[in-house]
């Protein structure tokens, strides 16, 4: 039940009226007493107090269930029962002291039977209220999960179609690279190695990324890319790569680390260095890329380019609520950090 809905604000009044009427009928019927015939002020005090208590209690239920809504997918019957008992205990702590106050203002000291009747009727109606609130949260979570699953399927289908369309061109490119490679004299080793590195990069991106891969494979691809870039930058670039061996047998969706590497090579300047590190901490991949940037050039005001935007979209779908991507710039150093729960 949403806070801006009509029933959210009217339901506590209905609940209070039903509970108070039930308590009055159960406690007064055996004695033949008719509560509607007593002074109207007493009834107003009881029902007004019950309504106020109902709104306070609804707020407590709303906050409690809202905070635990993230655990909806992990709920079991035992957890639901414990949750209900916890809310029931809070309600009993509120209802019984309130009963003493109400009876004080109506000059009718409560007896043990009043507490028992109030607790029993409150408990029965609480089952209905709790079921409505919790059921709505479970339904919303189920619908959201289905929509997310469908979104992932649609993205996979779209990606497969794009991949099939794109396959015609890479075959031509591989053949062209192969032709150029054999046209270069064997003594001219540098361009031949450059073509080899480019072919390796293309092959990985086209054929080895249709399923999760070992993080070690991703780093081999990154090292190949670094070697390829070094042929362009020659000896100017200083780079440091640290790879935690505990990550070797861990798997990840492919090409999620590469955009940060590509971004570093694109904007590196100044002292011309890049540092790359990957480590495993509490079942999380901590991947960090830092690079020197030119001192005189002002950085663009926008947060990131197309590559980083696409990376965030992929992470949202592949690792929802299981990643953190942050970037920062200080003292002519740009740092990108990605944390993924494996």
């Amino acid at each position: 039940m949403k806070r801006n809905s009509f029933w959210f604000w009217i339901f506590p009044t209905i609940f209070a009226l039903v509970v108070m009427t039930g308590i009055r009928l159960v406690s007064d019927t055996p004695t033949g007493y008719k509560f509607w015939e007593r002074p109207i002020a007493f009834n107003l005090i009881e029902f007004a107090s019950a309504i106020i208590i109902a709104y306070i209690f609804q707020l407590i239920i709303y906050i409690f269930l809202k905070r635990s809504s993230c655990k909806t997918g992990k709920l079991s019957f035992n957890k639901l029962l414990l949750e209900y008992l916890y809310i029931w205990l809070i309600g009993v702590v509120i209802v019984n002291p309130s009963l003493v106050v109400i009876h004080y203002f109506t000059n009718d000291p409560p007896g043990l039977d009043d507490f028992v009747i109030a607790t029993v009727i409150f408990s029965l109606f609480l089952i209905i209220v709790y079921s409505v609130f919790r059921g709505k949260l479970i339904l919303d979570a189920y619908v959201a999960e289905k929509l997310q699953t469908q979104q992932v399927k649609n993205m996979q289908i779209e990606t497969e179609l794009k991949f099939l369309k794109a396959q015609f061109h890479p075959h031509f490119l591989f053949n062209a690279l192969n032709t150029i490679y054999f046209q270069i004299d064997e003594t001219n080793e540098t361009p031949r190695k450059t073509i080899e590195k480019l072919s390796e990069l293309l092959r990985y991106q086209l054929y080895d990324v249709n399923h999760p891969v070992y993080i070690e494979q991703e780093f081999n691809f990154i090292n190949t890319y670094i070697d390829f870039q070094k042929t362009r930058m020659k000896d100017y670039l200083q780079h440091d790569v640290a790879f935690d061996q505990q990550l070797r047998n861990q798997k990840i969706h492919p090409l999620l680390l590469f955009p940060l590497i590509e971004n570093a090579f694109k904007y590196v300047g100044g002292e011309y260095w890049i540092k790359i590190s990957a480590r495993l901490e509490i079942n999380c991949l901590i991947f960090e890329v830092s690079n020197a940037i030119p001192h005189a050039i002002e950085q663009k005001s926008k947060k990131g380019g197309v590559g980083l935007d696409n990376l965030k979209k992929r992470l949202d779908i592949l690792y929802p609520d299981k990643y953190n991507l942050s970037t920062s710039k200080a003292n002519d150093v740009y740092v990108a950090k990605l944390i993924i729960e494996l």
Side-chain angles (χ1 to χ4, degrees):
M1 194 179 296
K2 297 180 180 180
R3 291 184 64 178
N4 58 353
S5 68
F6 170 78
W7 285 107
F8 182 88
W9 297 107
I10 199 66
F11 189 79
T13 300
I14 298 174
F15 179 74
L17 293 176
V18 171
V19 171
M20 280 305 302
T21 302
I23 292 174
R24 274 294 157 202
L25 289 174
V26 172
S27 60
D28 296 345
T29 298
T31 62
Y33 182 76
K34 299 177 181 178
F35 69 91
W36 57 86
E37 292 181 351
R38 66 177 179 167
I40 191 171
F42 289 173
N43 287 329
L44 287 176
I45 291 173
E46 284 190 352
F47 283 95
S49 301
I51 291 172
I52 293 172
I53 294 169
Y55 276 100
I56 295 173
F57 188 62
Q58 176 178 266
L59 180 62
I60 293 173
I61 295 178
Y62 177 81
I63 294 173
F64 178 79
L65 294 182
K66 200 71 176 176
R67 288 181 177 178
S68 63
S69 61
C70 60
K71 304 175 183 177
T72 299
K74 302 178 182 178
L75 288 176
S76 63
F77 175 77
N78 290 337
K79 290 183 179 180
L80 287 172
L81 182 60
L82 287 174
E83 189 176 75
Y84 170 78
L85 291 175
Y86 183 77
I87 296 174
W88 173 84
L89 183 61
I90 295 175
V92 170
V93 170
I94 295 174
V95 169
N96 287 314
S98 302
L99 191 64
V100 175
V101 175
I102 293 172
H103 277 262
Y104 172 79
F105 284 106
T106 57
N107 297 320
D108 181 21
L112 180 61
D113 57 332
D114 292 313
F115 290 106
V116 173
I117 292 171
T119 301
V120 170
I121 293 180
F122 166 77
S123 303
L124 293 175
F125 280 100
L126 177 61
I127 293 176
I128 299 174
V129 177
Y130 171 76
S131 300
V132 170
F133 273 85
R134 174 48 79 187
K136 182 66 167 58
L137 287 174
I138 292 175
L139 180 61
D140 289 346
Y142 175 78
V143 172
E145 184 179 352
K146 287 295 182 183
L147 288 175
Q148 186 178 28
T149 302
Q150 188 60 46
Q151 185 181 10
V152 172
K153 288 182 179 179
N154 291 340
M155 183 180 181
Q156 288 176 340
I157 293 173
E158 184 179 352
T159 302
E160 288 177 5
L161 289 174
K162 289 181 179 179
F163 175 73
L164 290 173
K165 289 180 181 178
Q167 273 190 319
F168 295 102
H169 305 290
H171 285 302
F172 168 78
L173 181 58
F174 275 126
N175 290 333
L177 287 173
N178 192 49
T179 300
I180 295 172
Y181 178 84
F182 285 105
Q183 287 179 344
I184 298 174
D185 190 270
E186 291 184 3
T187 58
N188 203 343
E189 189 176 348
T190 301
R192 288 172 70 93
K193 283 188 175 180
T194 301
I195 292 176
E196 285 181 357
K197 295 296 181 183
L198 179 58
S199 297
E200 290 178 24
L201 293 172
L202 289 173
R203 184 175 293 106
Y204 182 80
Q205 293 185 62
L206 292 169
Y207 302 119
D208 298 336
V209 294
N210 298 323
H211 48 74
V213 298
Y214 289 106
I215 297 179
E216 186 178 29
Q217 291 177 260
E218 279 287 284
F219 248 74
N220 290 338
F221 170 74
I222 289 172
N223 285 326
T224 301
Y225 179 76
I226 293 174
D227 290 340
F228 177 76
Q229 288 291 343
K230 283 168 64 179
T231 61
R232 176 173 65 89
M233 297 179 173
K234 297 184 179 179
D235 298 328
Y236 300 127
L237 178 68
Q238 303 175 38
H239 70 281
D240 179 34
V241 181
F243 178 70
D244 187 349
Q245 292 300 314
Q246 295 183 82
L247 290 167
R248 292 185 61 184
N249 296 323
Q250 299 288 338
K251 285 194 171 184
I252 190 177
H253 286 276
L255 299 177
L256 292 177
L257 310 181
F258 178 64
L260 302 183
I261 303 293
E262 189 177 30
N263 200 58
F265 275 95
K266 182 178 180 181
Y267 294 107
V268 66
E271 297 181 359
Y272 238 61
W273 57 262
I274 295 176
K275 293 182 180 180
I276 304 167
S277 69
R279 62 185 186 275
L280 182 67
E281 289 186 9
I282 316 177
N283 202 37
C284 287
L285 165 65
I286 313 294
F287 184 68
E288 189 169 338
V289 182
S290 57
N291 61 276
I293 53 178
H295 176 70
I297 298 178
E298 292 186 4
Q299 297 297 307
K300 295 181 179 179
S301 59
K302 64 179 184 177
K303 294 182 179 179
V306 176
L308 291 182
D309 287 340
N310 288 338
L311 173 60
K312 290 176 182 176
K313 291 177 182 178
R314 289 190 67 204
L315 288 167
D316 285 336
I317 293 175
L318 298 173
Y319 296 96
D321 301 321
K322 293 184 178 181
Y323 82 93
N324 180 267
L325 175 62
S326 61
T327 58
S328 61
K329 181 180 78 71
N331 301 323
D332 300 328
V333 176
Y334 184 85
V335 180
K337 187 174 183 179
L338 175 61
I339 302 174
I340 299 178
E341 183 180 334
L342 301 175

